[in-house]
Amino acid sequence: MSLSDEARDPWTYVLGGLAAGVAWAVSVPVAAAIGVGAAVAGVKAVVGGLGGRRGSARREPLPVKGKTPEDAWLKRGERAVQSFDALASSVPEGMVSERSRTIGQQSKETLEGLRRLGGQASTTREVARHIDQTYLLHEELRLTQAVEREPDPDIREEEQKSLDSVREQLAIVQRLDQSLNMLLARMESGTLGLERLVAQLAEILALSESATSPVEGAAQLEHLADELEGIRSGLAETERLSRRALGAYAGDGLPSDGNEPKG
């Protein structure tokens, strides 16, 4: 990914804003806090840009944190794809075996989609972890009462600005939570869909060796391939929606870096 691509990546601004917020929370002066956030965003953009010039044009998946729901779903998806490979390699040469190997490759592309969603889920989880929702709720209540009680209009206006700021942070927490839940729900349905298709592939291959003609077996595999493509497209669409939501939060809109997964 190029430097300009990194500049359009919403995670650059999410992480930079997070660093600035953490610095402000520990009583760093506002100007210095903004500098911290800018420095983090700048370093991420530069490092990412250098990495993009060395690597391929496609965006690398974010790391998936171990012992999380997304990690568990990804591991199940990996086992399902391994089963696809094992089944495909067990079929004698012919029309059915050729189509089953193609489906095995499709399953690997679907697994890549799961891995990308898992990385987004882990990053979303990590960002949300740094925002203390309980503290913000207490602050919202305190400031709401302060605004209602304050007779001086100038002071009330400043208190209202503080209240608006706290409410925006709470809205961010909600958006991050919604994004994480959406990612996990799609990972669950995608993984269970993969496992179902493994069972269907096993049945098709078994019947093709006994009661089903090679032509009929290949037709059944064609239908299975369509279902697999539907799962992959669904994963890609969820990734786009998640990036759009986080991009809106970061004030950068949907990134158009040419590395979006195809639907």
Side-chain angles (χ1 to χ4, degrees):
M1 185 164 43
S2 69
L3 183 57
S4 60
D5 293 335
E6 280 287 336
R8 289 195 298 268
D9 184 359
W11 286 113
T12 298
Y13 303 99
V14 171
L15 296 177
L18 175 61
V22 171
W24 174 82
V26 295
S27 301
V28 174
V30 174
I34 294 172
V36 170
V40 170
V43 169
K44 180 183 181 297
V46 171
V47 172
L50 291 174
R53 283 194 290 270
R54 289 194 300 267
S56 64
R58 188 166 180 79
R59 186 187 302 273
E60 288 300 316
L62 295 162
V64 178
K65 187 174 179 59
K67 298 181 180 179
T68 57
E70 59 267 24
D71 180 54
W73 287 120
L74 180 58
K75 282 184 168 61
R76 284 179 63 169
E78 289 171 343
R79 288 194 293 270
V81 170
Q82 290 170 359
S83 297
F84 266 112
D85 282 341
L87 286 169
S89 62
S90 68
V91 184
E93 288 297 323
M95 184 183 302
V96 172
S97 65
E98 181 179 347
R99 194 69 186 94
S100 64
R101 281 194 292 271
T102 302
I103 289 174
Q105 180 57 41
Q106 280 183 275
S107 72
K108 292 176 183 176
E109 294 173 1
T110 304
L111 179 61
E112 181 186 351
L114 277 175
R115 185 170 289 112
R116 295 172 73 85
L117 289 194
Q120 281 195 7
S122 286
T123 304
T124 302
R125 187 188 303 280
E126 183 64 18
V127 169
R129 187 176 67 84
H130 291 279
I131 305 176
D132 190 339
Q133 185 176 20
T134 302
Y135 169 77
L136 290 172
L137 288 170
H138 284 308
E139 284 293 282
E140 181 186 33
L141 177 60
R142 179 185 67 79
L143 289 166
T144 299
Q145 294 172 345
V147 169
E148 291 173 351
R149 291 194 303 260
E150 181 55 56
D152 187 303
D154 292 333
I155 297 177
R156 188 167 58 251
E157 181 181 0
E158 292 305 315
E159 294 283 10
Q160 184 62 52
K161 289 179 181 177
S162 297
L163 178 59
D164 292 342
S165 177
V166 167
R167 285 175 173 168
E168 176 56 26
Q169 291 177 72
L170 286 169
I172 288 170
V173 173
Q174 184 178 21
R175 289 198 292 271
L176 289 171
D177 188 56
Q178 289 173 341
S179 180
L180 177 59
N181 289 335
M182 178 178 65
L183 290 165
L184 291 177
R186 177 59 76 175
M187 288 192 75
E188 178 181 13
S189 65
T191 300
L192 292 176
L194 272 175
E195 292 176 341
R196 173 178 59 84
L197 293 182
V198 168
Q200 289 180 341
L201 177 61
E203 181 181 35
I204 291 170
L205 294 180
L207 292 175
S208 70
E209 292 300 308
S210 54
T212 305
S213 69
V215 173
E216 186 177 350
Q220 292 174 334
L221 287 174
E222 192 68 35
H223 177 70
L224 191 149
D226 290 341
E227 290 195 61
L228 189 56
E229 175 59 21
I231 293 174
R232 189 205 65 78
S233 297
L235 294 172
E237 178 62 18
T238 299
E239 182 183 358
R240 280 194 294 272
L241 291 173
S242 175
R243 290 183 62 80
R244 180 178 287 115
L246 293 170
Y249 149 60
D252 191 42
L254 176 64
S256 55
D257 53 16
N259 293 323
E260 293 284 326
K262 296 179 181 179

Short mmCIF file of all heavy atoms in Angstrom, two decimals, residues 14-82:
data_model
loop_
_atom_site.label_atom_id
_atom_site.label_comp_id
_atom_site.label_asym_id
_atom_site.label_seq_id
_atom_site.Cartn_x
_atom_site.Cartn_y
_atom_site.Cartn_z
N VAL A 14 -7.93 6.51 13.14
CA VAL A 14 -8.43 5.90 14.37
C VAL A 14 -7.30 5.76 15.39
O VAL A 14 -7.43 6.15 16.55
CB VAL A 14 -9.04 4.51 14.08
CG1 VAL A 14 -9.36 3.78 15.38
CG2 VAL A 14 -10.32 4.66 13.25
N LEU A 15 -6.17 5.20 14.95
CA LEU A 15 -5.06 4.99 15.87
C LEU A 15 -4.43 6.31 16.31
O LEU A 15 -4.03 6.48 17.45
CB LEU A 15 -4.01 4.08 15.21
CG LEU A 15 -4.49 2.66 14.91
CD1 LEU A 15 -3.42 1.88 14.19
CD2 LEU A 15 -4.90 1.94 16.18
N GLY A 16 -4.33 7.26 15.37
CA GLY A 16 -3.79 8.56 15.73
C GLY A 16 -4.68 9.27 16.73
O GLY A 16 -4.21 9.83 17.72
N GLY A 17 -6.00 9.24 16.50
CA GLY A 17 -6.93 9.88 17.43
C GLY A 17 -6.91 9.19 18.78
O GLY A 17 -7.01 9.84 19.83
N LEU A 18 -6.78 7.87 18.76
CA LEU A 18 -6.70 7.13 20.02
C LEU A 18 -5.49 7.56 20.83
O LEU A 18 -5.57 7.80 22.04
CB LEU A 18 -6.63 5.63 19.73
CG LEU A 18 -6.42 4.71 20.93
CD1 LEU A 18 -7.56 4.85 21.92
CD2 LEU A 18 -6.29 3.27 20.47
N ALA A 19 -4.35 7.67 20.18
CA ALA A 19 -3.13 8.08 20.89
C ALA A 19 -3.29 9.48 21.47
O ALA A 19 -2.88 9.75 22.60
CB ALA A 19 -1.94 8.05 19.93
N ALA A 20 -3.89 10.38 20.70
CA ALA A 20 -4.10 11.73 21.21
C ALA A 20 -5.04 11.72 22.41
O ALA A 20 -4.81 12.41 23.40
CB ALA A 20 -4.68 12.62 20.10
N GLY A 21 -6.09 10.89 22.34
CA GLY A 21 -7.03 10.82 23.45
C GLY A 21 -6.40 10.27 24.70
O GLY A 21 -6.65 10.76 25.81
N VAL A 22 -5.59 9.24 24.55
CA VAL A 22 -4.92 8.67 25.71
C VAL A 22 -3.97 9.69 26.33
O VAL A 22 -3.89 9.85 27.55
CB VAL A 22 -4.15 7.38 25.33
CG1 VAL A 22 -3.28 6.91 26.48
CG2 VAL A 22 -5.14 6.29 24.94
N ALA A 23 -3.25 10.41 25.49
CA ALA A 23 -2.33 11.43 26.00
C ALA A 23 -3.08 12.52 26.75
O ALA A 23 -2.69 12.95 27.82
CB ALA A 23 -1.53 12.04 24.84
N TRP A 24 -4.24 12.95 26.20
CA TRP A 24 -5.04 13.97 26.87
C TRP A 24 -5.56 13.47 28.21
O TRP A 24 -5.61 14.19 29.19
CB TRP A 24 -6.20 14.37 25.96
CG TRP A 24 -7.18 15.32 26.62
CD1 TRP A 24 -7.08 16.67 26.74
CD2 TRP A 24 -8.41 14.96 27.25
NE1 TRP A 24 -8.17 17.17 27.41
CE2 TRP A 24 -9.00 16.14 27.73
CE3 TRP A 24 -9.07 13.73 27.46
CZ2 TRP A 24 -10.22 16.14 28.40
CZ3 TRP A 24 -10.27 13.74 28.12
CH2 TRP A 24 -10.83 14.92 28.58
N ALA A 25 -5.96 12.16 28.23
CA ALA A 25 -6.54 11.60 29.45
C ALA A 25 -5.56 11.58 30.61
O ALA A 25 -5.96 11.59 31.77
CB ALA A 25 -7.05 10.18 29.18
N VAL A 26 -4.26 11.53 30.32
CA VAL A 26 -3.27 11.51 31.39
C VAL A 26 -2.69 12.91 31.62
O VAL A 26 -1.56 13.07 32.04
CB VAL A 26 -2.15 10.49 31.11
CG1 VAL A 26 -2.70 9.08 31.10
CG2 VAL A 26 -1.45 10.80 29.79
N SER A 27 -3.48 13.93 31.27
CA SER A 27 -3.16 15.33 31.58
C SER A 27 -2.04 15.91 30.73
O SER A 27 -1.41 16.88 31.12
CB SER A 27 -2.80 15.48 33.07
OG SER A 27 -3.90 15.06 33.86
N VAL A 28 -1.79 15.34 29.57
CA VAL A 28 -0.86 15.98 28.64
C VAL A 28 -1.57 17.20 28.07
O VAL A 28 -2.76 17.14 27.76
CB VAL A 28 -0.48 15.01 27.50
CG1 VAL A 28 0.35 15.71 26.44
CG2 VAL A 28 0.28 13.82 28.07
N PRO A 29 -0.91 18.37 27.94
CA PRO A 29 -1.56 19.55 27.36
C PRO A 29 -2.18 19.24 26.01
O PRO A 29 -1.69 18.39 25.27
CB PRO A 29 -0.41 20.56 27.23
CG PRO A 29 0.56 20.13 28.29
CD PRO A 29 0.47 18.64 28.36
N VAL A 30 -3.25 19.96 25.70
CA VAL A 30 -4.00 19.67 24.48
C VAL A 30 -3.11 19.70 23.24
O VAL A 30 -3.15 18.81 22.39
CB VAL A 30 -5.17 20.68 24.31
CG1 VAL A 30 -5.86 20.48 22.97
CG2 VAL A 30 -6.16 20.50 25.46
N ALA A 31 -2.29 20.73 23.11
CA ALA A 31 -1.44 20.84 21.93
C ALA A 31 -0.49 19.66 21.82
O ALA A 31 -0.27 19.10 20.74
CB ALA A 31 -0.63 22.14 21.99
N ALA A 32 0.06 19.25 22.96
CA ALA A 32 0.97 18.10 22.95
C ALA A 32 0.22 16.82 22.62
O ALA A 32 0.73 15.94 21.92
CB ALA A 32 1.66 17.98 24.31
N ALA A 33 -1.02 16.69 23.13
CA ALA A 33 -1.81 15.50 22.85
C ALA A 33 -2.09 15.37 21.36
O ALA A 33 -2.00 14.29 20.77
CB ALA A 33 -3.13 15.55 23.62
N ILE A 34 -2.43 16.50 20.75
CA ILE A 34 -2.66 16.50 19.30
C ILE A 34 -1.38 16.09 18.57
O ILE A 34 -1.40 15.33 17.59
CB ILE A 34 -3.15 17.88 18.82
CG1 ILE A 34 -4.54 18.16 19.40
CG2 ILE A 34 -3.18 17.96 17.31
CD1 ILE A 34 -5.04 19.58 19.15
N GLY A 35 -0.25 16.57 19.07
CA GLY A 35 1.03 16.20 18.46
C GLY A 35 1.30 14.72 18.56
O GLY A 35 1.81 14.09 17.62
N VAL A 36 0.94 14.12 19.71
CA VAL A 36 1.11 12.68 19.87
C VAL A 36 0.29 11.93 18.83
O VAL A 36 0.77 11.01 18.17
CB VAL A 36 0.70 12.24 21.30
CG1 VAL A 36 0.64 10.72 21.40
CG2 VAL A 36 1.67 12.79 22.34
N GLY A 37 -0.99 12.34 18.69
CA GLY A 37 -1.84 11.67 17.72
C GLY A 37 -1.32 11.83 16.30
O GLY A 37 -1.31 10.88 15.52
N ALA A 38 -0.87 13.02 15.95
CA ALA A 38 -0.34 13.26 14.61
C ALA A 38 0.90 12.43 14.36
O ALA A 38 1.11 11.90 13.26
CB ALA A 38 -0.03 14.74 14.43
N ALA A 39 1.74 12.30 15.39
CA ALA A 39 2.97 11.52 15.23
C ALA A 39 2.65 10.06 14.98
O ALA A 39 3.23 9.41 14.10
CB ALA A 39 3.84 11.67 16.48
N VAL A 40 1.69 9.51 15.76
CA VAL A 40 1.32 8.11 15.57
C VAL A 40 0.75 7.88 14.18
O VAL A 40 1.10 6.94 13.47
CB VAL A 40 0.30 7.68 16.65
CG1 VAL A 40 -0.27 6.31 16.33
CG2 VAL A 40 0.97 7.66 18.02
N ALA A 41 -0.16 8.79 13.76
CA ALA A 41 -0.75 8.66 12.43
C ALA A 41 0.32 8.77 11.35
O ALA A 41 0.31 8.03 10.37
CB ALA A 41 -1.82 9.74 12.22
N GLY A 42 1.26 9.70 11.54
CA GLY A 42 2.31 9.87 10.55
C GLY A 42 3.22 8.67 10.45
O GLY A 42 3.57 8.22 9.34
N VAL A 43 3.59 8.11 11.60
CA VAL A 43 4.46 6.93 11.58
C VAL A 43 3.74 5.77 10.91
O VAL A 43 4.33 5.05 10.10
CB VAL A 43 4.87 6.56 13.03
CG1 VAL A 43 5.52 5.19 13.05
CG2 VAL A 43 5.84 7.60 13.58
N LYS A 44 2.45 5.56 11.24
CA LYS A 44 1.72 4.47 10.62
C LYS A 44 1.65 4.64 9.11
O LYS A 44 1.80 3.69 8.35
CB LYS A 44 0.30 4.40 11.19
CG LYS A 44 -0.52 3.27 10.57
CD LYS A 44 -1.93 3.27 11.09
CE LYS A 44 -2.71 2.10 10.48
NZ LYS A 44 -2.85 2.21 9.03
N ALA A 45 1.40 5.88 8.66
CA ALA A 45 1.30 6.12 7.22
C ALA A 45 2.63 5.86 6.52
O ALA A 45 2.67 5.23 5.46
CB ALA A 45 0.85 7.56 6.98
N VAL A 46 3.72 6.33 7.13
CA VAL A 46 5.03 6.15 6.49
C VAL A 46 5.43 4.69 6.45
O VAL A 46 5.84 4.15 5.42
CB VAL A 46 6.10 6.98 7.23
CG1 VAL A 46 7.49 6.62 6.72
CG2 VAL A 46 5.83 8.46 7.04
N VAL A 47 5.28 4.00 7.61
CA VAL A 47 5.65 2.58 7.66
C VAL A 47 4.78 1.77 6.71
O VAL A 47 5.25 0.91 5.98
CB VAL A 47 5.52 2.05 9.10
CG1 VAL A 47 5.70 0.55 9.13
CG2 VAL A 47 6.55 2.72 10.00
N GLY A 48 3.46 2.07 6.72
CA GLY A 48 2.57 1.36 5.82
C GLY A 48 2.90 1.63 4.36
O GLY A 48 2.83 0.75 3.52
N GLY A 49 3.26 2.87 4.06
CA GLY A 49 3.62 3.20 2.68
C GLY A 49 4.86 2.48 2.22
O GLY A 49 4.93 1.97 1.10
N LEU A 50 5.85 2.38 3.09
CA LEU A 50 7.06 1.64 2.73
C LEU A 50 6.76 0.18 2.53
O LEU A 50 7.25 -0.46 1.61
CB LEU A 50 8.12 1.82 3.84
CG LEU A 50 8.72 3.23 3.97
CD1 LEU A 50 9.63 3.30 5.19
CD2 LEU A 50 9.49 3.61 2.71
N GLY A 51 5.93 -0.37 3.43
CA GLY A 51 5.57 -1.78 3.30
C GLY A 51 4.81 -2.04 2.02
O GLY A 51 4.99 -3.06 1.37
N GLY A 52 3.96 -1.07 1.61
CA GLY A 52 3.19 -1.24 0.39
C GLY A 52 4.08 -1.27 -0.84
O GLY A 52 3.82 -1.98 -1.79
N ARG A 53 5.18 -0.51 -0.82
CA ARG A 53 6.07 -0.51 -1.98
C ARG A 53 6.85 -1.81 -2.08
O ARG A 53 7.23 -2.24 -3.15
CB ARG A 53 7.03 0.68 -1.89
CG ARG A 53 6.39 2.01 -2.27
CD ARG A 53 7.43 3.06 -2.51
NE ARG A 53 8.09 3.45 -1.27
CZ ARG A 53 7.67 4.42 -0.48
NH1 ARG A 53 6.54 5.06 -0.77
NH2 ARG A 53 8.34 4.76 0.60
N ARG A 54 7.10 -2.44 -0.92
CA ARG A 54 7.85 -3.70 -0.95
C ARG A 54 6.95 -4.87 -1.27
O ARG A 54 7.38 -5.85 -1.84
CB ARG A 54 8.52 -3.94 0.42
CG ARG A 54 9.67 -3.01 0.71
CD ARG A 54 10.47 -3.55 1.88
NE ARG A 54 9.64 -3.65 3.08
CZ ARG A 54 9.54 -2.71 4.00
NH1 ARG A 54 10.17 -1.57 3.85
NH2 ARG A 54 8.78 -2.90 5.08
N GLY A 55 5.66 -4.78 -0.87
CA GLY A 55 4.78 -5.92 -1.02
C GLY A 55 3.91 -5.82 -2.26
O GLY A 55 4.14 -5.05 -3.16
N SER A 56 2.87 -6.67 -2.25
CA SER A 56 1.95 -6.68 -3.37
C SER A 56 0.98 -5.52 -3.23
O SER A 56 0.91 -4.85 -2.23
CB SER A 56 1.19 -8.01 -3.38
OG SER A 56 0.40 -8.12 -2.21
N ALA A 57 0.16 -5.35 -4.29
CA ALA A 57 -0.79 -4.24 -4.28
C ALA A 57 -1.93 -4.51 -3.32
O ALA A 57 -2.59 -3.60 -2.87
CB ALA A 57 -1.33 -4.03 -5.70
N ARG A 58 -2.20 -5.76 -2.99
CA ARG A 58 -3.34 -6.09 -2.13
C ARG A 58 -3.01 -5.82 -0.67
O ARG A 58 -1.95 -6.13 -0.18
CB ARG A 58 -3.73 -7.55 -2.31
CG ARG A 58 -5.02 -7.90 -1.59
CD ARG A 58 -5.56 -9.23 -2.07
NE ARG A 58 -6.79 -9.57 -1.38
CZ ARG A 58 -7.98 -9.07 -1.68
NH1 ARG A 58 -8.08 -8.19 -2.64
NH2 ARG A 58 -9.05 -9.43 -1.02
N ARG A 59 -3.98 -5.25 0.03
CA ARG A 59 -3.83 -4.91 1.44
C ARG A 59 -3.65 -6.19 2.26
O ARG A 59 -4.41 -7.15 2.15
CB ARG A 59 -5.08 -4.17 1.91
CG ARG A 59 -5.01 -3.65 3.33
CD ARG A 59 -6.35 -3.09 3.72
NE ARG A 59 -6.78 -2.04 2.81
CZ ARG A 59 -6.44 -0.77 2.96
NH1 ARG A 59 -5.67 -0.40 3.95
NH2 ARG A 59 -6.86 0.13 2.11
N GLU A 60 -2.65 -6.22 3.12
CA GLU A 60 -2.41 -7.38 3.98
C GLU A 60 -3.45 -7.41 5.10
O GLU A 60 -3.81 -6.36 5.64
CB GLU A 60 -1.00 -7.31 4.57
CG GLU A 60 0.11 -7.58 3.56
CD GLU A 60 0.01 -8.96 2.93
OE1 GLU A 60 -0.24 -9.93 3.68
OE2 GLU A 60 0.16 -9.05 1.71
N PRO A 61 -3.93 -8.62 5.47
CA PRO A 61 -4.90 -8.69 6.56
C PRO A 61 -4.30 -8.20 7.88
O PRO A 61 -3.11 -8.40 8.14
CB PRO A 61 -5.23 -10.19 6.64
CG PRO A 61 -4.80 -10.76 5.33
CD PRO A 61 -3.64 -9.93 4.87
N LEU A 62 -5.12 -7.58 8.70
CA LEU A 62 -4.69 -7.20 10.04
C LEU A 62 -4.55 -8.46 10.89
O LEU A 62 -5.23 -9.46 10.64
CB LEU A 62 -5.73 -6.26 10.66
CG LEU A 62 -5.89 -4.90 9.98
CD1 LEU A 62 -7.22 -4.26 10.39
CD2 LEU A 62 -4.73 -3.99 10.33
N PRO A 63 -3.69 -8.44 11.90
CA PRO A 63 -3.49 -9.65 12.72
C PRO A 63 -4.74 -9.97 13.55
O PRO A 63 -5.45 -9.07 13.99
CB PRO A 63 -2.30 -9.27 13.62
CG PRO A 63 -2.30 -7.78 13.66
CD PRO A 63 -2.80 -7.34 12.31
N VAL A 64 -4.97 -11.26 13.73
CA VAL A 64 -6.10 -11.74 14.54
C VAL A 64 -5.58 -12.09 15.93
O VAL A 64 -4.65 -12.88 16.07
CB VAL A 64 -6.77 -12.97 13.90
CG1 VAL A 64 -7.92 -13.47 14.78
CG2 VAL A 64 -7.26 -12.64 12.50
N LYS A 65 -6.17 -11.49 16.95
CA LYS A 65 -5.73 -11.72 18.32
C LYS A 65 -6.19 -13.09 18.80
O LYS A 65 -7.34 -13.47 18.60
CB LYS A 65 -6.29 -10.63 19.24
CG LYS A 65 -5.75 -10.69 20.68
CD LYS A 65 -6.23 -9.51 21.48
CE LYS A 65 -5.73 -9.56 22.92
NZ LYS A 65 -4.26 -9.59 22.99
N GLY A 66 -5.28 -13.84 19.43
CA GLY A 66 -5.59 -15.18 19.91
C GLY A 66 -6.58 -15.18 21.06
O GLY A 66 -6.75 -14.18 21.76
N LYS A 67 -7.26 -16.31 21.22
CA LYS A 67 -8.21 -16.51 22.31
C LYS A 67 -9.34 -15.48 22.31
O LYS A 67 -9.75 -14.96 23.34
CB LYS A 67 -7.49 -16.50 23.66
CG LYS A 67 -6.47 -17.63 23.80
CD LYS A 67 -5.80 -17.62 25.16
CE LYS A 67 -4.78 -18.76 25.26
NZ LYS A 67 -4.09 -18.77 26.59
N THR A 68 -9.81 -15.16 21.11
CA THR A 68 -10.96 -14.28 20.94
C THR A 68 -12.00 -15.01 20.10
O THR A 68 -11.69 -16.03 19.46
CB THR A 68 -10.56 -12.97 20.22
OG1 THR A 68 -9.96 -13.33 18.94
CG2 THR A 68 -9.55 -12.17 21.03
N PRO A 69 -13.25 -14.56 20.09
CA PRO A 69 -14.26 -15.22 19.24
C PRO A 69 -13.86 -15.27 17.77
O PRO A 69 -14.06 -16.29 17.10
CB PRO A 69 -15.51 -14.35 19.46
CG PRO A 69 -15.34 -13.79 20.82
CD PRO A 69 -13.86 -13.52 20.95
N GLU A 70 -13.25 -14.17 17.28
CA GLU A 70 -12.85 -14.18 15.87
C GLU A 70 -11.74 -15.20 15.60
O GLU A 70 -11.70 -15.82 14.53
CB GLU A 70 -12.41 -12.78 15.42
CG GLU A 70 -11.25 -12.17 16.20
CD GLU A 70 -11.70 -11.31 17.37
OE1 GLU A 70 -12.83 -11.51 17.86
OE2 GLU A 70 -10.91 -10.43 17.79
N ASP A 71 -10.86 -15.38 16.57
CA ASP A 71 -9.80 -16.39 16.42
C ASP A 71 -10.40 -17.79 16.37
O ASP A 71 -9.97 -18.64 15.57
CB ASP A 71 -8.82 -16.26 17.59
CG ASP A 71 -7.68 -17.27 17.51
OD1 ASP A 71 -7.00 -17.31 16.46
OD2 ASP A 71 -7.47 -18.03 18.48
N ALA A 72 -11.41 -18.05 17.21
CA ALA A 72 -12.06 -19.36 17.23
C ALA A 72 -12.76 -19.65 15.90
O ALA A 72 -12.64 -20.76 15.35
CB ALA A 72 -13.06 -19.43 18.38
N TRP A 73 -13.48 -18.65 15.36
CA TRP A 73 -14.15 -18.86 14.08
C TRP A 73 -13.15 -19.07 12.96
O TRP A 73 -13.36 -19.89 12.06
CB TRP A 73 -15.07 -17.69 13.77
CG TRP A 73 -16.31 -17.64 14.61
CD1 TRP A 73 -16.70 -16.64 15.45
CD2 TRP A 73 -17.32 -18.65 14.71
NE1 TRP A 73 -17.89 -16.96 16.06
CE2 TRP A 73 -18.30 -18.19 15.63
CE3 TRP A 73 -17.50 -19.90 14.11
CZ2 TRP A 73 -19.43 -18.92 15.96
CZ3 TRP A 73 -18.63 -20.65 14.45
CH2 TRP A 73 -19.57 -20.16 15.35
N LEU A 74 -12.05 -18.31 12.98
CA LEU A 74 -11.04 -18.46 11.94
C LEU A 74 -10.41 -19.85 11.98
O LEU A 74 -10.20 -20.48 10.93
CB LEU A 74 -9.95 -17.39 12.11
CG LEU A 74 -8.81 -17.43 11.10
CD1 LEU A 74 -9.35 -17.30 9.67
CD2 LEU A 74 -7.79 -16.33 11.39
N LYS A 75 -10.14 -20.37 13.16
CA LYS A 75 -9.56 -21.71 13.28
C LYS A 75 -10.50 -22.77 12.75
O LYS A 75 -10.08 -23.73 12.08
CB LYS A 75 -9.19 -22.00 14.74
CG LYS A 75 -7.90 -21.32 15.20
CD LYS A 75 -7.55 -21.72 16.62
CE LYS A 75 -6.14 -21.30 17.00
NZ LYS A 75 -5.92 -19.86 16.95
N ARG A 76 -11.79 -22.62 13.01
CA ARG A 76 -12.76 -23.56 12.46
C ARG A 76 -12.81 -23.45 10.93
O ARG A 76 -12.94 -24.47 10.23
CB ARG A 76 -14.14 -23.31 13.07
CG ARG A 76 -14.28 -23.83 14.48
CD ARG A 76 -15.64 -23.56 15.08
NE ARG A 76 -16.73 -24.22 14.37
CZ ARG A 76 -17.98 -24.29 14.83
NH1 ARG A 76 -18.28 -23.73 16.00
NH2 ARG A 76 -18.92 -24.91 14.14
N GLY A 77 -12.71 -22.23 10.43
CA GLY A 77 -12.68 -22.05 8.98
C GLY A 77 -11.46 -22.71 8.36
O GLY A 77 -11.54 -23.32 7.29
N GLU A 78 -10.32 -22.61 9.03
CA GLU A 78 -9.09 -23.24 8.54
C GLU A 78 -9.24 -24.76 8.50
O GLU A 78 -8.80 -25.41 7.53
CB GLU A 78 -7.92 -22.84 9.44
CG GLU A 78 -7.50 -21.38 9.29
CD GLU A 78 -6.49 -20.94 10.32
OE1 GLU A 78 -6.33 -21.65 11.35
OE2 GLU A 78 -5.85 -19.89 10.13
N ARG A 79 -9.87 -25.32 9.51
CA ARG A 79 -10.08 -26.78 9.52
C ARG A 79 -11.02 -27.20 8.39
O ARG A 79 -10.81 -28.25 7.76
CB ARG A 79 -10.64 -27.22 10.88
CG ARG A 79 -9.62 -27.16 12.01
CD ARG A 79 -10.09 -27.92 13.24
NE ARG A 79 -11.25 -27.30 13.87
CZ ARG A 79 -11.15 -26.37 14.81
NH1 ARG A 79 -9.97 -25.95 15.23
NH2 ARG A 79 -12.24 -25.85 15.36
N ALA A 80 -12.03 -26.37 8.12
CA ALA A 80 -12.95 -26.70 7.03
C ALA A 80 -12.24 -26.69 5.69
O ALA A 80 -12.45 -27.58 4.85
CB ALA A 80 -14.11 -25.70 7.03
N VAL A 81 -11.37 -25.71 5.48
CA VAL A 81 -10.63 -25.63 4.21
C VAL A 81 -9.65 -26.81 4.09
O VAL A 81 -9.45 -27.35 3.00
CB VAL A 81 -9.89 -24.28 4.11
CG1 VAL A 81 -8.93 -24.27 2.94
CG2 VAL A 81 -10.90 -23.15 3.96
N GLN A 82 -9.04 -27.21 5.19
CA GLN A 82 -8.18 -28.39 5.16
C GLN A 82 -8.98 -29.63 4.74
O GLN A 82 -8.48 -30.48 4.00
CB GLN A 82 -7.54 -28.60 6.53
CG GLN A 82 -6.48 -27.56 6.87
CD GLN A 82 -6.02 -27.64 8.32
OE1 GLN A 82 -6.50 -28.47 9.10
NE2 GLN A 82 -5.11 -26.78 8.70
#
